[in-house]
Amino acid sequence: MFWGGFKVQGKDQQAGERLLKEARLLEENGAAAVVLECVPDELAKIISRALSIPTIGIGAGKHCDGQVLVYHDLLQYGVDRLPKFAKGYGDFNTTAVDALASYIKEVKNNTFPDADHSFFDQR
């Protein structure tokens, strides 16, 4: 029922029927939602329509009731490659390195902190 990794689940009809059956069992046993990870778009659509509880997709296409994208992937933070289903919305690695390099340079050059970033005695 719980598989891991970036391996596509439900690729053939038998595996898809098994996922649908298990999702229904989860619902029948009181689950509040089901997470569909690395599931083909059309299968996620079928499962989402078959359940009355929400489906949350991560690499399961647009037909789920909600979406998850790990912020490390979203920001490309600490990752050197993204899973196929992830979309990077920024490159934090480059931004962070550039920001840290600028800070170090300004401290070494004695340009930070400057008057705008210092407190002065008002006596």
Side-chain angles (χ1 to χ4, degrees):
M1 198 173 301
F2 300 100
W3 305 289
F6 299 130
K7 183 179 174 193
V8 178
Q9 306 296 323
K11 288 195 280 188
D12 60 37
Q13 184 167 346
Q14 182 180 3
E17 288 171 0
R18 181 175 161 204
L19 280 177
L20 175 58
K21 178 182 175 183
E22 290 181 355
R24 285 181 169 147
L25 281 171
L26 288 168
E27 180 179 43
E28 290 168 13
N29 284 285
V34 173
V35 176
L36 301 174
E37 182 174 3
C38 293
V39 173
D41 182 75
E42 190 60 31
L43 177 57
K45 180 179 179 181
I46 291 166
I47 293 171
S48 295
R49 289 184 176 173
L51 302 179
S52 62
I53 59 175
T55 57
I56 308 299
I58 180 165
K62 64 182 180 179
H63 300 289
C64 294
D65 299 300
Q67 296 292 327
V68 171
L69 184 56
V70 176
Y71 83 91
H72 289 84
D73 293 340
L74 189 144
L75 298 174
Q76 296 183 42
Y77 172 58
V79 297
D80 56 354
R81 70 176 188 85
L82 297 175
K84 177 184 182 347
F85 61 82
K87 178 180 179 182
Y89 285 86
D91 185 353
F92 184 78
N93 291 326
T94 300
T95 302
V97 169
D98 291 348
L100 290 168
S102 293
Y103 168 73
I104 291 167
K105 179 181 174 186
E106 288 187 14
V107 169
K108 285 183 176 182
N109 293 337
N110 202 28
T111 57
F112 179 83
D114 57 13
D116 290 339
H117 300 97
S118 300
F119 297 101
F120 296 94
D121 192 354
Q122 299 295 321
R123 295 184 243 175

